[in-house]
Amino acid sequence: MEVEITIDGKKIKAQKNENLLRVAKKNGIYIPSLCYYEKISPTGVCRLCLVKVENMRGLVPACATFVTDGMKVIANDEELFELRRDILDMLLSEHNADCIACDKNGSCELQDLAYRFGLELKNRKFRPLWHELELRRDESSYVLSFDSSKCVKCQRCIKACYEIQGKGVLSFAKRGMETYLVAGFGTWKDSECDACGECVQACPVGAIVEKPVFERVRAIDVEKKVETTCPYCGVGCQIELWVKEGKIVKVRGLDEKPNNGSLCVKGRFGFSFVHSEERLKSPLLREGNQFKEIGWDEAIRIFVERIKEIKEKYGPESIAVLASAKITNEENYLLQKFTRVVLGTNNIDHCARL
Ligand code: SF4
Ligand code: SF4
Ligand code: SF4
């Protein structure tokens, strides 16, 4: 059901019970947020999206408020600006804002907010406290690293792991200032983590980051981003390759069908093979116990001759073809067509059933 609401004097049409923060964003009205993440249920813990709603007591988090007909909202005024600035200032007092050495430099939501709200070292109200808290680093995962001094306790990773990936590996330990993120009962390595990287993608800051494959890379070092399809299986997940000096250095899941940003461990982390020195770049011909590099024309000629020879001598049923999940659906279709029509056998199967 369509309703009409007013935000900062602007009349807006929305669907009843739509999330207020999303409605504001869709209509070009800025409300800051840190814990809000489109793909998970609203958490309402960062308090940056507090707004004033007529006839509602106190300030309410826009991310956890649902629109009703005639709702009148003040999303931005001087008082809200000062309040949000103070909240950010407090967050930064517990944050190791060492942006110079942080992988997230250039793609960090906290950095963007601090810049937008003009929070500089010289004008901060709250003294730095982060170094008084116990530093917890977890390097035990083979694909990601965690640094508690960068964590803003937004819960995006916890909910992404539970609500998107269906795992529930992450939770908070302790309370108050001492709260920290923990995987399983202690370390990532010993947890039930299946290394999908959903938490890495959800983290708005540099607390959970990918382990470097070749070298450490910040978002600002990335020279090119290429949108493509993951080559690992037939699902066709949409990915974005981050490229530096001609090498793939990170992979992000694109928020498009069929994966809506999610990836498996292979799609997100398994790309070092692309630049491997051991990668086969041309066909190899076996001669005794040795392999000899040959060109494609020669390889195809030898293949055709041998297949013809075998088919004539032993019949088409002596040949079997094994297709692969690593080639496209179209290529798999062509392969079964080739097997049935050209080779004359139904001996075609797929590696996924091995
Ligand atoms: S997480 Fe963000 S704000 Fe913190 S050090 Fe890294 S880039 Fe800076
Ligand atoms: S990598 Fe995936 S399974 Fe592991 S903690 Fe992160 S979201 Fe959960
Ligand atoms: S690790 Fe990142 S996503 Fe998880 S709670 Fe900390 S800041 Fe939020």
Side-chain angles (χ1 to χ4, degrees), residues 193-245:
C193 172
D194 52 20
C196 66
E198 196 73 52
C199 53
V200 179
Q201 186 143 332
C203 183
V205 291
I208 311 181
V209 293
E210 299 97 338
K211 280 207 165 138
V213 173
F214 303 107
E215 55 181 306
R216 287 182 66 205
V217 183
R218 299 165 300 172
I220 48 172
D221 300 325
V222 173
E223 289 155 3
K224 198 160 75 167
K225 293 182 180 173
V226 183
E227 295 188 7
T228 185
T229 303
C230 176
Y232 270 112
C233 78
V235 172
C237 291
Q238 295 304 292
I239 55 175
E240 186 180 68
L241 306 176
W242 290 16
V243 179
K244 184 189 170 200
E245 292 165 5

Side-chain angles (χ1 to χ4, degrees), residues 55-103:
N55 298 328
M56 279 194 180
R57 267 185 59 202
L59 302 168
V60 295
C63 70
T65 302
F66 300 97
V67 300
T68 52
D69 200 28
M71 191 180 239
K72 287 197 172 60
V73 181
I74 296 174
N76 291 289
D77 66 9
E78 209 170 307
E79 192 187 7
L80 287 170
F81 182 87
E82 287 305 321
L83 176 84
R84 290 166 181 164
R85 198 170 190 278
D86 283 350
I87 292 170
L88 269 175
D89 200 341
M90 274 189 264
L91 260 178
L92 285 169
S93 80
E94 289 178 31
H95 188 83
N96 169 17
D98 186 11
C99 302
I100 297 168
C102 184
D103 284 23

Side-chain angles (χ1 to χ4, degrees), residues 144 157 160-161 165 167 169-170 188 193-199:
L144 55 86
C157 57
C161 183
Q165 185 64 8
K167 291 293 291 187
V169 168
L170 305 172
W188 239 284
C193 172
D194 52 20
C196 66
E198 196 73 52
C199 53

